[in-house]
């Protein structure tokens, strides 16, 4: 049992959506709660059972009422659980917090909420464990955690308890004082923040909340009113407000109470764990920032300790304090010291790589006392960071790639700032470094070092694109690298694209592509391998996109490639496609006039002599286009081509062939935004009532055994067929008026049915009558169900789409079939089966059950009801109105038998079934039909 | 800092990885949702998250030479695998710099603490230790962050069960001290220095070395908030300790202790000790402080020369131990790897001292120098190697042609290069019982390389060149 739960819970938490396909959230929640209530269950398992509620409370309690019930249930489990299971009780508090706060309706708070809050406060104050079991304290700690989370979710919720929390912290000498301090600090910060919203009374209220005058405190609560705790939006950082303005609370110079609370919290901060200390200090920084009457120097005593710390979060808090208080807390010496410290830490051998990267980021966003640039720009160097100081962070080849790039970027900024463009040694160093990266990649670096090289190259260009001597040299070096490793073509093209995009004024990318075109065209073809050639063609394709670039060299290369004497590679489709790709770009090149003849020659040669028919055809098409169309027309045709125009013909293979932009959209499956069409039930027809009166002559022996024997064939009477109309939804979108090759896919939401086959519909036009779709269901258990439906289809312009249809609901009565008796049997035979089954079921074997359903109906109404709903399933003669006998068959092998008769006070539906699980569904169904 | 979800993922063979643990924090998620409003993006389910992460880390699709999402040349220092648009610290409109979010540094600490917990000593990374640690994780998380907002780190030792209940005294127990020590008082202080070096044997390129040290403590003393002071001292002419970082349990610091920095120009008048560190120790062993130091000479000065002679390589090595360093090693080995060549065939090499071995893979010479250098404090190696092996050796893009290095591994007990030491009598413990005090020192090497002076060595630090 226990192991089963371990797997189920982990399956649920790993992927709730998949898990809930097999069951429903109500069922799972009910099972969880049942097991939690079970006294025999192991408490370790019970702890595990709480995790779905902790992780996905909103999924398991989709409505407030379910949340409410679940919470009450959990509270009673808590009340009954023995105190020694501290672990379980703690987890239970966490689960309750999650269930009570994650109700779907954010505005309302569940009724159990105040009770739970009282419970938490009570637990937090329960110091009866003082000399007792140490583990007991962890329940108190958890209660504090829950309170803290609730205060975060509903700022001001605990504002009235501020004094109590202070007292609890004060008394506590065990490690738990940290939990109280955390809670107190948070509540204090929220209270101060909420009071900043009040014009004048703020100071008085704060005093009251801190210092015990209860009547005033009460009044303050009234005033905090709208804000306190009813606000369900958690506060983001106060210092980080988007407008850069900090709300202030004007208290006047006299705020002794606040000052004394702050000092005592600061004094004890040393006793907190670093994480908690950082959090507290940050919250207190926020408080002091909001209350101008408290001087930031209140932090002074902590500073030296914080400046020397090895703990990343504590030093970070110090930086955040500096950002909030600038020179009112930090002298210029402090500032210089901090910056040096950051440089040291950014390359400290004992720190981890993530910490060092973080410190480098801090240098780039250093909170200066008097920043020169007022902008909120992304990265800015602090004035004090001189090239000399920064030289400690020069990149070296032994750095990991993230560190290397971060250092490269930082130093680039430093040298740019220092104006090192002309013979600066720093810049020279950076360039040398880039070269050594290049050497490493040249001699066979891994993927990561290749990417690092290109990123470093981009950074260099981005900062120093105007320093020609380096940039030209870089182009040359990259060309050499390319010749040795043509597989870097995509990286080079990417580099060219990015520099062109990010530095539109720089001619560097153009220069690189031109240089690449030159080295490719100058390479003797005898030295070019098949592999190189395909990369060369990719690079030339990109170069052909440059309107300013002369394309003669490219054409020379192409005509060399297709000349039979040099063609040492097999002239296959791929190669031809690569060549055509270049030609395709050349056809729209602005200098087409000057390359017309060599281009025509290449195309003609391909059309006449190339080894692949398909390539010959396409070359011929291009040749014809080139020689017969005017330039403008050609450009229009091919531009349409590239944009993926409206006509199917234009965008098929020729587009695919030449890797036009249309290719991606053709090969992609697009997702529709809304449902395009849906399945509507055809007016649900009951199976025809067979005319049995005609056929009174019995043929063959009619008994239960013969009837049962039919089921020897597994396929016998195992399916239900439902018919639907496939129609457009109301949303009109002309693109979807005519749809083709629709393939409907059905997926189950439970395991009561066998997997369904996909269905194909040839076409769907908005104007024409909707096609009928027959869906065959094969139940494993004949219960009502829902089906998810999706479809893939093609639109007129040749694009493929995927869409989701509204779910289909299969109701209980749709699964009814008449008794599948042999066709030769008449009414007598069927009645015999009815009688036989009834007798068997009355014997009450395992799965069988009988039941009675009563309702008030007039005799006429009853006849009408039988006629309307049960005629096809009627076994008795319809003329015998004193008792109707109805037999519902539900595939694969369930029966529901009804004897319906009018008794003196009511109509009795005597029910017998060989599958007791069907009873609730029958009951629902009978309720439904008798109600109308 | 609040966590929306936590995953523990371990890489497996090839391009696979599996999620070993996952946990979501519903209330934090709720906060994210309320803060983000319409721009809310839910945390994806496990499988989806894993796939995105592997792509971002470049751990999937290695067969494709270029994947834009992974290999784009744009510098993306802070690119997430999954951008959830909103942190629970800032409103959704902003994407603030990381350095303004306290969560980032707290997150770094928390993850590092979690890693230490999962890979605690005695458990191998993928062995049973990890499995048992993962099994403990749910209850550990219930203690340190039941609702996703951690205030402390998982303890790397055993679970946080206090070793003894504390009495209700006047003094508050620090939250980082999990219990009380009972029994004999022992204070253990050890100074460990690490020396790194890059030697080029080339006039145009300055040799580099640096030294850094850590002071590790284990204090078993009684009391809720015991007071201990450790004093580090230097010899009379010692250069000051720089870049001092201290453990958060240090109660106060003199500002002069922090003044010396390795990125500053050295000032003769700088404070050079004694360095006093008053602190209240945690129960577990910890690093009290760390420092760096600039020493005038490297402990071992080497020269390495390779000459290509037809198909052979002529090797010549000289290693000199500096006179100031104690000539008593725990071990000392020189490794000479050879990359991008065939395996070694004939090795005709003589050493003046120690023992020479060829590794099983035949691409590495291991020269074990033993516990002592000879009286002259100098050892040599001379000879020829023929790379006539049948199979090619390993490749390494950094070491092509004559670019090659010797790597030294050594450890010298009871010494430090900076001269830094902790005198047994300088350790003060304010407690009733007189504690036993143990101090120790050691020096070891890391990344200690001597490059072949006839080849081009990669630049390893720019600072000296400029």
């Amino acid at each position: 049992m226990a192991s089963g739960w371990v797997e189920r819970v982990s399956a649920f938490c790993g992927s709730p959506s998949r898990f809930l396909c097999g069951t429903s959230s109500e069922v799972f929640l009910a099972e969880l709660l049942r097991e939690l209530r079970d006294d025999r269950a192991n408490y370790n398992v019970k702890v595990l059972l709480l995790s779905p509620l902790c992780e996905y409370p909103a999924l398991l309690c989709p409505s407030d009422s379910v949340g409410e019930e679940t919470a009450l249930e959990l509270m009673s489990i808590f009340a009954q659980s023995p105190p020694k299971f501290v672990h379980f009780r703690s987890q239970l508090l966490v689960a309750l917090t999650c269930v009570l706060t994650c109700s779907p309706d954010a505005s309302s708070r569940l009724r159990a909420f105040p009770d739970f809050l009282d419970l938490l406060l009570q637990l937090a104050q329960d110091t009866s464990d003082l000399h007792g079991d140490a583990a007991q304290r962890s329940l108190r700690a958890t209660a504090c955690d829950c309170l803290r989370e609730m205060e975060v979710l509903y700022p001001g919720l605990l504002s009235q308890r501020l004094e109590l929390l202070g007292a609890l912290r004060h008394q506590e000498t065990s490690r738990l004082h940290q939990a109280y301090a955390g809670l107190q600090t948070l509540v204090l910060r929220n209270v101060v923040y909420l009071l900043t919203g009040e014009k004048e009374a703020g100071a008085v209220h704060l005093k009251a909340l801190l210092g015990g005058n209860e009547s005033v405190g009460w009044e303050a609560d009234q005033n905090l009113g709208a804000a306190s705790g009813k606000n369900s939006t958690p506060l983001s950082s106060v210092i980080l407000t988007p407008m850069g303005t900090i709300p202030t609370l004007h208290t006047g110079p006299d705020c002794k109470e606040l000052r004394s609370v702050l000092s005592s919290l600061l004094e004890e901060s040393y006793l907190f764990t670093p994480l908690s200390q950082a959090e507290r200090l940050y919250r207190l920084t926020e408080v002091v920032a909001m209350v101008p009457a408290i001087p930031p120097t209140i932090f002074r005593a902590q500073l030296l300790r914080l400046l020397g710390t090895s703990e990343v979060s504590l030093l970070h808090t110090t930086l955040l304090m500096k950002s909030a208080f600038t020179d009112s807390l930090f002298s210029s010496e402090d500032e210089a010291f901090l910056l040096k410290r950051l440089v040291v830490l950014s390359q400290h051998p004992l720190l981890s790589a993530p910490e060092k990267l973080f410190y480098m980021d801090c240098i780039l966003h250093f909170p200066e006392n008097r920043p020169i640039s007022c902008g909120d720009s992304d990265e800015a160097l602090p004035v004090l960071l001189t090239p000399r100081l920064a030289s400690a962070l020069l990149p070296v080849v032994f750095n990991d790639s993230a560190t290397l790039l971060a250092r490269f970027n930082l130093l680039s900024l430093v040298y740019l700032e220092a104006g090192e463009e002309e013979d600066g040694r720093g810049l020279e160093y950076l360039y040398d470094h880039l070269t050594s990266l290049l050497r490493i990649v040249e001699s066979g670096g891994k993927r990561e070092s290749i990417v690092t090289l290109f990123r470093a190259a981009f950074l260099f260009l981005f900062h120093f694109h105007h320093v020609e001597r380096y940039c030209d040299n870089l182009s040359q070096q990259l060309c050499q690298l390319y010749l040795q490793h043509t597989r870097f073509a995509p990286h080079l093209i990417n580099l060219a694209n990015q520099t062109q995009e990010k530095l539109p004024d720089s001619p560097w990318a153009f220069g690189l592509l031109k240089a690449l075109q030159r080295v490719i065209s100058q390479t003797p073809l005898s030295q070019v391998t098949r592999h190189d050639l395909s990369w060369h063609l990719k690079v030339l394709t990109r170069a052909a996109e440059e309107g300013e670039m002369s394309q003669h060299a490219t054409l020379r290369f192409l005509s060399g490639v297709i000349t039979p004497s040099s063609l040492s590679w097999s002239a296959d489709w791929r190669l031809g496609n690569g060549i055509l790709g270049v030609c395709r770009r050349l056809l729209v090149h602005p200098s087409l006039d000057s390359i017309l003849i060599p281009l025509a020659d290449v195309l003609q040669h391909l059309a006449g002599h190339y080894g692949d028919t398909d390539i010959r055809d396409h070359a011929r098409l291009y040749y014809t286009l080139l020689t017969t169309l005017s330039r403008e027309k050609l450009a229009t045709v091919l531009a349409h081509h590239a944009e993926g125009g409206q006509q199917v013909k234009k965008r098929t293979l020729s587009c695919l062939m030449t890797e036009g932009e249309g290719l991606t959209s053709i090969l992609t499956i697009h997702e529709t935004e809304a449902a395009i069409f849906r399945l509507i039930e055809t007016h649900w027809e009951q199976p025809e009532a067979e005319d049995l009166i005609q056929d009174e002559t019995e043929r063959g022996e009619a008994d239960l055994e013969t009837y049962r024997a039919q089921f020897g064939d597994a396929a016998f009477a195992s399916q239900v067929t439902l018919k639907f109309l496939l129609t457009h939804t109301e949303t009109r979108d002309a693109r979807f008026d005519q749809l083709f090759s629709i393939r409907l896919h059905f997926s189950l939401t439970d395991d009561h049915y066998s997997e369904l086959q996909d269905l194909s519909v040839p076409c769907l036009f908005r104007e024409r009558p909707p096609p009928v779709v027959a869906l065959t269901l094969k139940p494993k258990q004949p219960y009502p169900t829902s089906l998810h439906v999706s479809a893939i289809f093609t639109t007129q312009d040749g694009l493929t789409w995927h869409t989701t249809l509204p779910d289909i609901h299969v109701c209980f009565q749709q699964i009814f079939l008449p008794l599948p008796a042999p066709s030769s049997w008449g009414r007598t035979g069927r009645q015999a089966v009815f009688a036989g089954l009834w007798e068997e079921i009355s014997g009450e074997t395992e799965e069988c059950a009988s039941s009675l359903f009563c309702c008030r109906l007039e005799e006429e109404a009853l006849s009408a009801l039988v006629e309307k709903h049960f005629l096809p399933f009627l076994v008795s003669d319809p003329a015998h109105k004193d008792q109707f006998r109805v037999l519902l068959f539900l595939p694969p092998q369930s029966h529901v038998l009804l004897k319906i008769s009018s008794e003196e006070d009511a109509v009795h539906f005597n029910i017998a079934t060989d599958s007791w699980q069907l009873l609730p569904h029958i009951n629902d169904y009978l309720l439904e039909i008798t109600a109308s | 800092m609040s966590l929306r979800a936590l995953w523990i993922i371990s890489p497996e063979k090839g391009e696979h990885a599996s999620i070993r643990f996952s946990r979501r924090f519903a209330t934090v998620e709720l906060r994210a949702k309320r803060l983000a409003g319409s721009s809310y993006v839910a945390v994806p389910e496990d499988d989806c998250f894993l796939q995105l992460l592997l792509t971002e880390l470049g751990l999937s699709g290695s067969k494709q030479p270029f994947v834009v999402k992974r290999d784009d040349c744009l510098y993306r220092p802070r690119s997430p695998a999954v951008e959830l648009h909103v942190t629970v610290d800032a409103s959704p409109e902003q994407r603030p710099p990381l350095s303004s979010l306290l969560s980032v540094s707290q997150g770094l600490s928390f993850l590092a603490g979690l890693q230490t917990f999962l890979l605690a000593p005695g458990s191998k990374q993928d062995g049973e230790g990890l499995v048992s640690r993962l099994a403990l994780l749910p209850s550990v998380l219930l203690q340190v962050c039941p609702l996703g907002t951690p205030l402390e780190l998982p303890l790397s030792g055993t679970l946080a069960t206090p070793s003894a209940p504390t009495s209700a005294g006047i003094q508050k127990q620090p939250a980082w001290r999990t219990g009380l020590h009972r029994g004999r008082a022992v204070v253990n202080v050890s100074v460990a220095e690490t020396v790194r070096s890059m030697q080029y044997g080339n006039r145009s390129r300055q040799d580099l070395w640096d030294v850094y040290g850590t002071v590790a403590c284990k204090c078993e003393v009684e009391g809720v908030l015991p007071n201990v002071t450790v004093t580090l001292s230097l010899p009379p002419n010692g250069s000051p300790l720089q870049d001092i970082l201290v453990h958060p349990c240090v109660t106060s610091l003199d500002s002069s202790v922090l003044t010396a920095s390795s990125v500053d120009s050295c000032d003769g008048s700088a404070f050079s000790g004694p360095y006093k560190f008053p602190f209240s120790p945690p129960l577990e062993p910890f690093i009290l402080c760390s420092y760096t130091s600039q020493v005038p000479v490297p402990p071992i000065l080497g020269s390495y020369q390779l000459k290509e002679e037809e198909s052979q390589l002529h090797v010549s090595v000289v290693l000199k131990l500096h006179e100031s360093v104690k000539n008593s090693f725990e071990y000392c080995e020189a490794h000479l790897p050879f990359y991008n060549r065939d395996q070694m065939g004939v090795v005709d090499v003589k050493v003046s001292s120690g023992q020479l071995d060829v590794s099983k893979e035949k691409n590495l010479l291991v020269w074990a120098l033993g516990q002592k250098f000879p009286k002259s404090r100098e050892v040599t190696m001379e000879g020829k190697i023929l790379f006539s092996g049948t199979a090619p050796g390993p490749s390494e893009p950094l070491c092509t042609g004559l670019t090659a290095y010797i790597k030294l591994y050594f450890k010298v007990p009871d010494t430090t290069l900076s001269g830094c030491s902790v005198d047994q009598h300088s350790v003060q413990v304010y407690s009733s019982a007189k504690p036993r005090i143990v101090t120790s020192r050691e020096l070891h090497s890391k990344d200690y390389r001597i490059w072949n002076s006839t080849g081009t060595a990669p630049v390893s630090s720019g600072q000296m060149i400029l």
Side-chain angles (χ1 to χ4, degrees), chain B residues 92 131 223-224 245 333 348 385 459:
Chain B
V131 175
V224 175
L245 297 177
E333 275 186 8
D348 176 21
I385 305 171
V459 181

Side-chain angles (χ1 to χ4, degrees), chain B residues 269-349:
Chain B
S269 65
F271 176 78
S272 60
Y275 301 85
K276 271 188 188 299
F277 299 100
F279 60 95
S280 180
L283 282 183
E284 62 279 359
F286 66 103
I287 303 289
L288 175 66
C289 70
S290 68
Y291 60 85
T292 65
S293 172
Q294 285 179 358
V295 294
V297 284
I300 296 177
L301 191 65
S303 101
Y304 182 27
Q305 285 191 313
L306 292 174
K307 277 192 203 111
E308 201 99 48
E309 289 173 356
E310 290 162 20
S311 59
Q312 305 185 99
L313 205 57
H314 184 267
V315 185
S316 153
V317 181
V318 182
L319 299 176
K320 274 185 206 162
L321 178 67
H322 192 266
E323 56 194 8
S324 66
V325 183
K326 209 165 97 179
N327 188 3
S328 165
F329 290 81
E330 192 175 313
Y331 57 81
C332 181
E333 275 186 8
H335 288 196
L336 289 75
F338 295 97
Y339 295 105
N340 310 320
R341 293 170 186 276
D342 287 338
Q343 289 179 326
M344 287 186 255
V346 185
V347 178
D348 176 21
V349 177

Side-chain angles (χ1 to χ4, degrees), chain A residues 325-540:
Chain A
F325 302 129
T326 62
D327 55 0
S328 51
L329 183 58
F330 292 83
S331 66
S332 52
E333 287 81 36
D334 293 338
E335 178 163 76
F337 172 80
L338 252 178
L339 186 65
K340 267 187 270 174
R341 197 78 177 166
L342 284 178
V343 173
V344 163
L345 291 167
S346 299
Q347 42 104 39
H348 199 286
L350 286 168
L351 298 184
S352 68
E355 282 173 325
K356 288 189 249 187
L357 286 170
F358 175 71
Y359 285 127
M360 259 186 272
D361 197 62
C362 289
I363 295 178
L364 285 175
H365 299 96
F366 187 72
E368 291 180 287
N369 281 353
R370 295 172 191 281
I372 292 175
S373 64
C374 54
D376 45 6
S377 69
D378 193 27
E379 289 173 350
L381 283 182
V383 177
L384 290 172
L385 187 68
T386 57
R388 192 186 152 70
L389 184 56
S391 66
L393 295 176
L394 279 164
V396 295
V397 289
F398 297 105
N399 292 145
D400 65 279
S401 59
T403 308
L404 190 149
L405 290 168
R407 287 182 169 206
F408 203 98
N409 183 46
L410 182 80
L411 268 294
S412 298
L413 287 167
V414 168
Y415 295 139
L416 200 63
E417 186 75 32
E420 280 232 5
E421 283 81 350
E422 291 308 315
D423 58 61
R425 296 187 62 192
L427 185 52
E428 189 185 324
Y429 177 85
L430 284 186
Y431 189 73
D432 283 349
H433 180 68
L434 197 56
T435 316
S436 28
L437 288 181
L438 208 120
R439 291 285 100 77
I440 292 173
V441 169
E442 207 169 49
S443 34
K446 292 204 186 84
R447 188 191 69 80
E448 201 187 359
S449 43
I450 299 165
V451 175
T452 308
L453 165 68
F454 282 95
R455 287 189 182 154
F458 178 79
L459 278 176
F460 188 86
L461 291 165
F462 186 75
H463 294 298
F464 302 110
H465 55 94
H466 51 283
V467 189
E468 277 173 20
R469 63 202 155 100
Y470 289 124
C471 294
D472 293 350
N473 189 272
L474 181 60
S475 293
Q476 283 171 23
Q477 300 226 42
L478 287 173
C479 285
Q480 289 310 311
L481 179 69
Y482 172 69
L483 284 183
Q484 288 175 49
H485 301 280
T486 49
R487 67 195 161 95
F488 295 158
H491 292 273
L492 285 160
I493 293 171
N494 174 254
L495 182 66
N497 291 342
Q498 293 290 11
T499 34
Q500 216 158 41
E501 193 188 320
K502 297 289 181 290
L503 304 164
D505 299 331
S506 161
W508 188 83
F510 181 83
L512 174 71
L513 290 167
K514 200 172 160 121
L516 284 169
Q517 185 202 39
R518 195 180 56 243
V519 294
I520 290 171
S521 59
Q522 284 171 356
T523 315
L525 277 171
S526 55
Q527 292 169 19
V528 177
T529 66
R530 174 71 183 76
H531 176 256
D532 290 342
L533 186 60
S534 64
W535 290 123
H536 285 348
L537 291 170
K538 282 225 168 8
V539 173
L540 291 176

Side-chain angles (χ1 to χ4, degrees), chain A residues 13-18 54-57 87 90-91 94 98 101-102 106 134 145-146 148-149 152-154 169-170 172-175 177-178 232 234 236-237 240 242 268 270-276 278-280 282 304-305 308-314 316-317 320 337 340-341 343-345 348-350 354-355 358 361-362 365 378-379 389 391-392 394 396-398 405-406 409 415 425 429 440 443-445 447 451 454-455 458-459 490-491 494-495 498 502, chain B residues 1 22-24 26-28 30-31 34-35 45-47 57-58 65-66 70-76 78 88-91 94 96-102 104-106 108-110 139 142-143 146-147 149-153 162 165-178 196 198 212-214 225 243-251 253-255 258 261-265 279-280 290 292 397-398 400 449 451 458-463 465-466:
Chain A
C13 293
S15 175
S17 62
R18 200 180 313 146
C54 294
E55 295 194 43
Y56 294 98
H87 196 97
S90 301
Q91 192 74 55
V94 174
C98 293
T101 51
C102 295
D145 267 311
C146 295
R148 186 158 54 101
E149 190 64 26
V152 175
L153 278 164
Y154 306 100
R169 174 179 68 88
H170 202 68
E172 189 63 40
T173 53
S174 79
R175 298 173 63 221
H177 65 85
Q178 169 170 285
S232 58
S236 50
S237 165
L240 261 181
E268 284 175 12
Y270 164 76
L271 300 174
F272 302 158
T273 61
L275 270 186
S276 171
E279 185 83 22
R280 287 322 117 229
Y282 185 65
L304 205 55
R305 190 168 68 79
T309 188
S310 58
E311 185 63 41
V312 58
S313 51
L314 287 180
H316 190 196
T317 316
L320 292 169
F337 172 80
K340 267 187 270 174
R341 197 78 177 166
V343 173
V344 163
L345 291 167
H348 199 286
L350 286 168
E355 282 173 325
F358 175 71
D361 197 62
C362 289
H365 299 96
D378 193 27
E379 289 173 350
L389 184 56
S391 66
L394 279 164
V396 295
V397 289
F398 297 105
L405 290 168
N409 183 46
Y415 295 139
R425 296 187 62 192
Y429 177 85
I440 292 173
S443 34
R447 188 191 69 80
V451 175
F454 282 95
R455 287 189 182 154
F458 178 79
L459 278 176
H491 292 273
N494 174 254
L495 182 66
Q498 293 290 11
K502 297 289 181 290
Chain B
M1 167 195 46
S22 80
R23 174 90 163 82
R24 278 137 225 279
T27 51
V28 183
L30 179 74
R31 271 146 64 187
R34 291 195 184 155
L35 269 175
E45 287 189 1
D46 288 3
D47 293 350
L57 295 179
F66 186 83
R70 178 188 73 190
D71 302 327
D72 191 8
C73 71
L74 275 192
Y75 172 57
R76 308 168 305 159
R78 291 167 288 270
V88 288
D89 285 343
S91 62
Q94 304 168 290
L98 297 188
S99 60
S100 67
L101 300 172
L102 181 60
V104 175
S105 60
Q106 287 183 308
L108 289 177
S109 296
F110 182 74
S139 54
L142 180 63
Q143 298 223 5
L147 288 150
T149 309
L151 284 185
E152 51 194 284
L153 300 178
T166 49
S167 61
I170 312 156
Q171 252 178 343
K172 292 198 177 188
Q173 187 185 357
W176 34 261
R177 197 171 158 89
T178 46
R196 301 186 296 180
M198 289 283 168
Y212 58 89
T214 57
L225 194 62
D243 306 339
I244 290 175
L245 297 177
V246 300
H247 190 270
C249 75
V250 172
T251 42
L253 267 183
D254 194 286
S255 62
L258 296 178
S261 162
S262 60
V263 295
D264 249 348
S265 45
F279 60 95
S280 180
S290 68
T292 65
L398 212 56
T400 52
R449 288 182 215 228
W451 292 91
V459 181
S460 63
S461 165
Q463 204 173 5
I465 292 171
L466 297 178

